[in-house]
Amino acid sequence: DADVTQTPRNRITKTGKRIMLECSQTKGHDRMYWYRQDPGLGLRLIYYSFDVKDINKGEISDGYSVSRQAQAKFSLSLESAIPNQTALYFCATSDREVGQGGGHSPLHFGNGTRLTVT
Amino acid sequence: QKEVEQDPGPLSVPEGAIVSLNCTYSNSAFQYFMWYRQYSRKGPELLMYTYSSGNKEDGRFTAQVDKSSKYISLFIRDSQPSDSATYLCAIPLFSGGYNKLIFGAGTRLAVHP
């Protein structure tokens, strides 16, 4: 069973529609992240949350919002979808800050949601 | 200039070849360097990480850091078709009060039998 589960796996929607992408995790991690992946641009951080009451914008948060419903659940919403939001979206978790101290806490990714906005 | 640059490829090699994947970075203060591997239709997973300069070996994989040139490499020896994936370099950047991972664009590798 996947430790980080994203739903749906694929979604096609029309311009202007509101949609929600959901992420749940069984790893018990406090930190959760939303990334988008575009060809040639790599992974870019949309939002991150260090616990239920701590939510922060990443580098490309415009047009997106998030909700941390519980430690295990973190959802991403597109209030009014536009075609340039067509991308692969990944949720990730970590148990501590990346690159912290003498080691590295890896990000654990879900298998992504492929979103197409027409 | 991007903080991390990576040639997206694609790179196609025969089985058994030695593969070299590379990234350059702009900030000489970076200390940790990671490689993530992403199979098709899957999320990335951590493959290796190194701290500061030098080499780190794990089986057929070797991660190398040259801080003087701001250049990081991942070598794959005796490449196998199962190594076909996208490889992303990643570096933590301290910004806004915490470390966030900056990813390269990823290099798509295909190893053909």
Side-chain angles (χ1 to χ4, degrees), chain A residues 6-11 21-22 34 87-91 110-115, chain B residues 41:
Chain A
Q6 291 184 240
T7 56
R9 283 282 275 155
N10 296 281
R11 178 74 184 267
L21 309 182
E22 300 192 6
W34 275 103
L88 261 175
Y89 289 84
F90 287 100
C91 175
N111 285 330
T113 293
R114 184 174 296 277
L115 176 65
Chain B
R41 297 294 283 151

Side-chain angles (χ1 to χ4, degrees), chain B residues 26-107:
Chain B
S26 59
N27 191 332
S28 58
F30 290 154
Q31 296 277 14
Y32 282 101
F33 305 93
M34 293 101 192
W35 287 95
Y36 279 75
R37 178 175 60 194
Q38 183 179 17
Y39 290 114
S40 180
R41 297 294 283 151
K42 298 287 188 182
E45 58 182 352
L46 180 67
L47 181 62
M48 295 181 71
Y49 78 93
T50 57
Y51 176 71
S52 196
S53 289
N55 292 1
K56 184 174 183 178
E57 193 172 314
D58 184 2
R60 297 183 294 110
F61 297 87
T62 300
Q64 186 175 81
V65 177
D66 182 347
K67 295 196 76 178
S68 62
S69 303
K70 299 179 193 170
Y71 197 83
I72 59 175
S73 301
L74 178 70
F75 298 98
I76 307 174
R77 292 187 303 278
D78 187 24
S79 56
Q80 302 294 310
S82 59
D83 296 326
S84 299
T86 297
Y87 291 81
L88 303 103
C89 58
I91 302 175
L93 169 68
F94 189 78
S95 173
Y98 88 109
N99 277 332
K100 65 173 184 176
L101 269 189
I102 304 296
F103 286 89
T107 300

